[in-house]
Amino acid sequence: MTRKRTRLVLVTVVAATAGGALWALSPAPASGPATLDAAARSVVAPALVEAEGDRIELAFQGGGRVVDVLVDEGDRVALGQVVARVDAELAKARVLAAEAALAGAEARRDLAVRGPRREELRISRAEVDAARAQAWERGVARDRAEKLRAIHPAAIAAAEVDSVHGAAEAALAQVDGASARLALLARGTRKESIAEAGAAVALAAAQLIEARVALAQTELIAPRAGVVLRRLVEPGEQVATMPPTPVLVIADVDRLTLRAEVDEADIGRVTVGQPGWAIAEAYGDHRFAAHVVRLTGELGRKKVRTDDARARVDTRVLEVMLSFDEPAALPLGLRMDVHLAPDP
């Protein structure tokens, strides 16, 4: 009985000693539940590199035949730079015609405003004097014929008397007409005529502006600074306006952003200003520091596809815009993984 108890005690001691040794050899957890909680609160999302402003497709406002494309893919363009041209011969001719029409309208307006010249008034007065002289002469002839007819009826025919009388009346009418023309010239141009001439000038000026705008539209101007991503048209090709024919695609690649797609389960842990970083397979372990600048207001379907077969494609995501903390020379459309730091 005493031996059995001794063995039992020894086995118990050995087992306890072995268990203590195994516990002593096993590694202790780094930080326990705190580390797991921090990992659970981190947000990882796929993203694409984009230009800060959208890509711009440049097209002519008017159709025509392309005569010159002044830039190539990869070239930098400045704001207001001419990048392409279409045939402008017809537009130039229309500008010349509009300029001539405006000059004619302005001349007619000036003539209406200034009124008659002194020479024209003198001519009109001379015409009145001549008409009066002729009327006096024909009046004398009429009086003589009537007196002769009264004294010697057979000496002159009644028809001749009537003819002389009509000529005298016509001469008096010419005096009235010449006098009226003189009065009209002396009063100057009517206000309505001046207004009409002014309206004609305004119309001609508007048509000239229209022609010049059409001429300016034969040149394609860069609306912003950037880099040419695509050259879609070559000289000799015909471009249209319905629908517009894209000629070039440009973007500002100096200011890049990240468009990340955050799973709907994680959107509650993303805020504006939240720091993070982005990595890409092409750049190894290099981290590109970034921070959240904007959250979109609507959930949508995933657009960024990854090579991870375990990734869910049927989940809804919120687009989150991030800005790089330092300038990064990255190609547009590069797929990256964004890691957002958990809230402290």
Side-chain angles (χ1 to χ4, degrees), residues 202-218:
L203 175 61
Q207 290 173 341
L208 176 58
I209 293 174
E210 181 182 3
R212 286 175 175 170
V213 169
L215 177 60
Q217 290 176 351
T218 61

Side-chain angles (χ1 to χ4, degrees), residues 140-183:
V140 171
R142 177 197 60 194
D143 293 341
R144 289 176 180 173
E146 289 178 349
K147 288 179 180 179
L148 182 61
R149 176 69 175 170
I151 298 173
H152 300 286
I156 184 171
E160 184 177 352
V161 173
D162 293 340
S163 177
V164 173
H165 190 279
E169 294 296 328
L172 290 175
Q174 290 178 355
V175 172
D176 292 339
S179 300
R181 287 192 294 272
L182 175 60

Side-chain angles (χ1 to χ4, degrees), residues 86 97 115 155 157 190 215 218 251 270 285 298 323 337:
V86 294
R190 296 178 59 178
L215 177 60
T218 61
V270 179
D285 296 332
E298 182 180 10
S323 178
D337 290 326

Side-chain angles (χ1 to χ4, degrees), residues 41 43 269-276 290-293 322 340-343:
R41 289 189 290 112
V43 177
R269 292 183 283 125
V270 179
T271 58
V272 174
Q274 186 174 359
H291 61 279
V292 177
V293 294
L322 297 95
L340 297 178
D343 296 332

Side-chain angles (χ1 to χ4, degrees), residues 278-344:
I279 58 175
E281 183 178 356
Y283 295 91
D285 296 332
H286 181 75
R287 293 185 175 185
F288 297 87
H291 61 279
V292 177
V293 294
R294 188 174 75 253
L295 307 179
T296 58
E298 182 180 10
L299 292 172
R301 295 186 177 276
K302 296 187 67 173
K303 299 178 183 177
V304 182
R305 294 290 183 261
T306 64
D307 297 329
D308 188 357
R310 298 170 299 174
R312 294 173 54 192
V313 296
D314 59 344
T315 185
R316 298 179 66 80
V317 295
L318 180 71
E319 291 186 342
V320 176
M321 304 303 298
L322 297 95
S323 178
F324 290 100
D325 294 346
E326 297 181 357
L330 300 172
L332 299 181
L334 177 66
R335 291 186 301 181
M336 305 189 79
D337 290 326
V338 170
H339 297 253
L340 297 178
D343 296 332

